[in-house]
Amino acid sequence: MDRRKFMGYALAGAGIGLGGVALWNPLKLGRSFSARPEISPDFEPDVDIDLRARPAEIQIFPGRPTRVQRYFAKVLQGSPEAVQEIEGSYLGPIFRFKKGQKVRIRFTSEIRQV
């Protein structure tokens, strides 16, 4: 899987996890996917990541802080260099994988549904 497809799946998965509807696909990946795909019991990832979405407030504009969703990642297995946090920003983290690596991302939303 190339980087473009991986990012497409990761963004779509984040949208589903946040309660979004992934019917619109701007990257036109041409493949269907599920929020709960069947996982082979013998799947062994090279990189295993815990990704969490949490509410936060960041000073973006003058005045009141802006409410945002921040993403925090922790490498459970594999190289710690696979995840790069962007200090002082609500953007990120940046994922860095090598071609051919098998990756598992365990996404948890800690954002309340209103």
Side-chain angles (χ1 to χ4, degrees):
M1 179 181 302
D2 64 17
R3 186 180 303 182
R4 183 179 306 259
K5 283 186 181 180
F6 172 77
M7 291 307 295
Y9 285 123
L11 291 172
I16 290 170
L18 296 174
V21 178
L23 296 176
W24 177 69
N25 187 349
L27 299 179
K28 301 191 185 322
L29 299 174
R31 293 178 61 184
S32 63
F33 57 91
S34 166
R36 298 192 187 280
E38 294 297 321
I39 298 174
S40 172
D42 59 339
F43 177 74
E44 288 293 327
D46 299 316
V47 181
D48 197 351
I49 296 174
D50 178 47
L51 178 64
R52 296 183 180 267
R54 295 183 185 135
E57 290 189 351
I58 302 285
Q59 190 70 40
I60 298 174
F61 298 110
R64 291 188 352 201
T66 302
R67 286 187 281 176
V68 296
Q69 300 169 6
R70 291 198 59 195
Y71 295 88
F72 300 89
K74 177 180 171 186
V75 177
L76 303 174
Q77 175 183 324
S79 172
E81 296 171 355
V83 173
Q84 178 184 350
E85 297 289 339
I86 303 173
E87 293 296 325
S89 174
Y90 67 96
L91 302 174
I94 297 170
F95 295 123
R96 298 187 186 276
F97 305 115
K98 295 178 181 159
K99 186 174 183 173
Q101 278 186 314
K102 293 184 282 182
V103 178
R104 176 184 293 144
I105 298 178
R106 304 165 191 256
F107 178 77
T108 305
S109 175
E110 297 177 2
I111 299 170
R112 291 185 298 141
Q113 297 293 326
V114 202

